[in-house]
Amino acid sequence: MKKVKIIWKIISRLLLVLIFFLLIILLKSANWFLDNFNEVDFSIALYQLFSPLKGTESGVLDDYIRQCLYPSVLLAVAGVAFYTLYDMMAGRIFLEIDLRIGLRNLQLRGRKNRFANARKMVVLWTVIAVLCVGVWNRAAKVGIPEYVQSVTNVSSIFESKYVSPDDVEIMFPEKKRNLIVIYMESMEATYASIQEGGGKPVNYIPELTKLAKENVSFSNDGDLGGAGAAAETGWTMGGLFSSATGVPYKLPVDGNEAGEYDSFAPGLKGLGEVLSENGYQNYFMCGSEAVFGGRKAFYEQHGDFHILDYNGAKKDGIIPEDYHEFWGMEDEKLYEYAKQQLAEIAGQNKPFNFMMLTVDTHPADGYICGLCGDTYENQYENVLACASRQAAQFVDWVSEQEWYENTTIVITGDHLSMKADFWDDIDDYNRKIYNCFINLPDGLMIGRTTNREFSILDMFPTILAAIGADIEGDRLALGTNLFSEEKTLPEEMGFKAFNSELKLYSNFYYRNFVVGNKVSA
């Protein structure tokens, strides 16, 4: 009997350690999430955590283990050890009191022991209840209830608003324009100074600010501004996917397996297919391995893109075989690779679509390359300034090429930055994604560029219009041609309602885009 009691006590203590550990790690995880991701939607951060950019530093995971896992284990063990010590000491103290006052009556002593046990249980359950309340409050702040609602409720936005590219006429000019799209990692208009229309006391992106103001840039206000953050688009692959298809990334694909996904959204028709069908050669370039996160699969299956990545740079002599910086190669090398390839591509005398993804500005602190200065104390600020200079210098190089006259350049951020500790000084500024359209075709009618509510989903038809394509109705997928006078869905519905719909599960999305072949709405 005594042996059974000892075994039961050991099991109960282990269970208590487990309960304490789960509650503490949930609480610490919520606090860690809020410190590191701030206003980022829970679903976006969840994808980012489980599908990080291949080759990036393991700092995020290491930081989580250091700040959440280890302390949770130690606190859980320490808490149960303290409770066990309290249990032992309380029993001895009450027994000693009984003996000192001469309490011989076993029945009365039994009652006193029961009172002692009750007091211990009250203490234990009070601690557990406090932890549970803390976990619930932090979970609400993180946005878990909204996330649960989004995956359990059903949206009808695709049934009512989706416009299939197969259902509208898209006419290209006789002489097709080349297209260069530069996706800049985490690039926001916010990085500009308050005086220039951004949210910072200092303008960390003066060259990009100048490009936006000297060319065409769409804004949510009367100044620099930019695109709002649409739900399910706020990480790199989400931004690339959504800008090219006009729908959010809601694929049931595990992030780490996406690179091997045999059929990547087979029912979707996007920018790549439209261009390919109209005689364009498509190219996608990045400084890491394109296979990760599904980028290679997506671009190859949606427009037959030629993939130029870290591995390609080694084959083409841009970097040595054993070269590896951070994720693969830095943007300094990426731009050199782009120049080399564009010189060859332009010589083929076929219209081309060249898309490239920079990454030096990827949080946590970005990557300091040999071109970065030390103007600012903060590393990320210097990385931003360097990224702005490099992008502008690349645009200058393109503008000097003989094929530039017939080439449109689009610069856009892929999503808002997830660097939570960089926004303490922006007050009430409404953070927006940077965009700029350079060297547009003659005769393009440009409507209202300021005080627009729009998202990266609108880039799909807008990019096509930027190379002279005439889109019947000025809408594709859930996107609107911003050069037109047509209202965007965020303008029509309100951004909050629009985002709420995007977060919900969609039978239409799964049936037509994930499972089926390309279909009309």
Side-chain angles (χ1 to χ4, degrees):
M1 191 62 146
K2 188 174 181 182
K3 186 176 180 181
V4 172
K5 283 185 176 182
I6 293 172
I7 293 174
W8 168 245
K9 183 160 278 193
I10 292 172
I11 293 173
S12 66
R13 291 298 185 267
L14 291 174
L15 288 173
L16 199 56
V17 168
L18 180 61
I19 292 170
F20 271 36
F21 169 75
L22 291 174
L23 290 172
I24 293 169
I25 198 168
L26 286 172
L27 191 59
K28 282 195 162 292
S29 296
N31 288 330
W32 178 83
F33 177 93
L34 292 170
D35 289 340
N36 287 275
F37 292 96
N38 200 10
E39 299 176 358
V40 178
D41 282 348
F42 179 73
S43 60
I44 294 172
L46 197 65
Y47 184 95
Q48 187 73 7
L49 287 172
F50 287 99
S51 179
L53 181 65
K54 188 174 184 180
T56 57
E57 81 285 17
S58 57
V60 174
L61 181 59
D62 291 342
D63 185 64
Y64 176 81
I65 291 173
R66 187 174 61 255
Q67 294 197 36
C68 298
L69 183 60
Y70 290 158
S72 297
V73 172
L74 291 173
L75 286 172
V77 172
V80 173
F82 178 80
Y83 174 74
T84 302
L85 183 62
Y86 165 75
D87 186 12
M88 294 169 56
M89 294 299 294
R92 291 182 180 179
I93 289 170
F94 286 120
L95 177 60
E96 187 176 341
I97 291 173
D98 289 347
L99 292 173
R100 285 188 178 181
I101 64 175
L103 188 60
R104 298 281 189 263
N105 189 303
L106 294 177
Q107 184 177 1
L108 185 57
R109 189 190 306 167
R111 287 180 186 171
K112 205 169 185 76
N113 286 337
R114 283 198 297 274
F115 293 151
N117 289 332
R119 279 193 294 269
K120 287 185 290 186
M121 293 305 295
V122 167
V123 170
L124 177 61
W125 286 107
T126 298
V127 172
I128 291 176
V130 168
L131 287 173
C132 286
V133 170
V135 168
W136 175 257
N137 287 337
R138 302 314 278 173
K141 188 147 189 181
V142 164
I144 293 177
E146 290 84 354
Y147 174 73
V148 172
Q149 182 185 24
S150 73
V151 296
T152 54
N153 292 343
V154 177
S155 169
S156 61
I157 191 171
F158 293 96
E159 287 87 342
S160 60
K161 302 294 184 183
Y162 179 78
V163 177
S164 171
D166 287 324
D167 287 348
V168 298
E169 187 175 17
I170 304 173
M171 297 290 294
F172 283 80
E174 184 176 348
K175 185 178 181 181
K176 297 183 175 68
R177 293 182 66 79
N178 302 317
L179 172 65
I180 296 176
V181 180
I182 306 170
Y183 288 101
M184 297 193 72
E185 171 65 42
S186 304
M187 186 51 64
E188 301 189 25
T190 320
Y191 299 133
S193 64
I194 296 171
Q195 291 80 1
E196 295 289 349
K200 285 290 190 175
V202 175
N203 190 356
Y204 299 115
I205 54 168
E207 294 85 3
L208 288 174
T209 302
K210 184 179 179 183
L211 283 173
K213 295 197 172 185
E214 290 181 348
N215 296 279
V216 174
S217 179
F218 295 95
S219 173
N220 61 297
D221 55 28
D223 215 315
L224 184 60
E232 315 294 352
T233 68
W235 68 100
T236 299
M237 188 58 211
L240 298 177
F241 177 89
S242 302
S243 64
T245 63
V247 300
Y249 189 108
K250 299 172 73 70
L251 303 179
V253 185
D254 179 76
N256 293 320
E257 296 176 358
E260 305 303 324
Y261 206 51
D262 293 331
S263 188
F264 201 111
L268 268 175
K269 181 176 182 178
L271 181 64
E273 287 103 327
V274 172
L275 293 175
S276 180
E277 290 172 2
N278 284 275
Y280 278 78
Q281 296 293 307
N282 291 319
Y283 300 85
F284 173 72
M285 175 180 284
C286 62
S288 58
E289 293 183 43
V291 68
F292 197 76
R295 292 173 298 186
K296 185 174 186 290
F298 171 66
Y299 283 111
E300 286 184 339
Q301 294 176 34
H302 290 271
D304 195 24
F305 278 72
H306 301 276
I307 303 300
L308 304 163
D309 63 356
Y310 164 70
N311 293 321
K314 289 192 288 187
K315 291 178 182 177
D316 292 327
I318 295 295
I319 54 176
E321 279 292 328
D322 59 349
Y323 191 88
H324 192 276
E325 282 292 323
F326 202 21
W327 52 84
M329 65 179 181
E330 65 271 39
D331 291 345
E332 179 185 0
K333 301 290 192 302
L334 183 75
Y335 282 117
E336 290 304 314
Y337 193 22
K339 292 175 184 178
Q340 180 203 76
Q341 291 298 311
L342 280 168
E344 295 180 11
I345 293 166
Q348 298 174 12
N349 294 318
K350 295 178 181 178
F352 63 81
N353 163 37
F354 186 90
M355 296 182 158
M356 59 185 294
L357 170 66
T358 72
V359 78
D360 279 5
T361 48
H362 194 287
D365 293 314
Y367 176 80
I368 289 286
C369 73
L371 301 177
C372 291
D374 56 357
T375 305
Y376 309 105
E377 293 183 7
N378 183 289
Q379 175 174 314
Y380 199 60
E381 294 166 352
N382 287 310
V383 172
L384 290 172
C386 186
S388 178
R389 286 194 301 273
Q390 288 190 73
Q393 289 166 3
F394 180 71
V395 170
D396 287 342
W397 177 85
V398 173
S399 68
E400 294 169 355
Q401 308 309 304
E402 60 181 17
W403 41 267
Y404 172 69
E405 182 181 352
N406 193 45
T407 301
T408 293
I409 303 173
V410 179
I411 306 176
T412 178
D414 56 351
H415 56 78
L416 293 178
S417 172
M418 295 185 187
K419 187 169 174 56
D421 60 355
F422 198 64
W423 310 114
D424 295 338
D425 59 351
I426 66 168
D427 297 325
D428 296 327
Y429 182 84
N430 190 4
R431 292 168 56 196
K432 296 295 178 179
I433 301 167
Y434 176 91
N435 73 92
C436 179
F437 294 78
I438 302 169
N439 199 31
L440 296 168
D442 293 335
L444 176 64
M445 299 297 293
I446 302 175
R448 183 166 48 90
T449 61
T450 58
N451 298 303
R452 303 294 307 268
E453 287 292 341
F454 65 101
S455 75
I456 200 164
L457 302 181
D458 297 302
M459 288 295 110
F460 176 18
T462 304
I463 289 173
L464 284 173
I467 55 174
D470 183 32
I471 304 164
E472 178 188 0
D474 287 310
R475 277 191 172 174
L476 290 174
L478 299 183
T480 300
N481 171 18
L482 294 173
F483 290 104
S484 73
E485 295 294 340
E486 190 76 18
K487 281 188 175 181
T488 67
L489 290 183
E491 288 171 335
E492 184 181 300
M493 302 170 60
F495 220 118
K496 185 175 181 181
F498 177 65
N499 265 347
S500 294
E501 283 291 320
L502 293 187
K503 291 178 182 179
L504 301 179
Y505 176 80
S506 169
N507 290 316
F508 182 95
Y509 188 107
Y510 183 80
R511 184 177 67 252
N512 292 329
F513 303 154
V514 179
V515 176
N517 295 316
K518 293 179 176 63
V519 295
S520 300

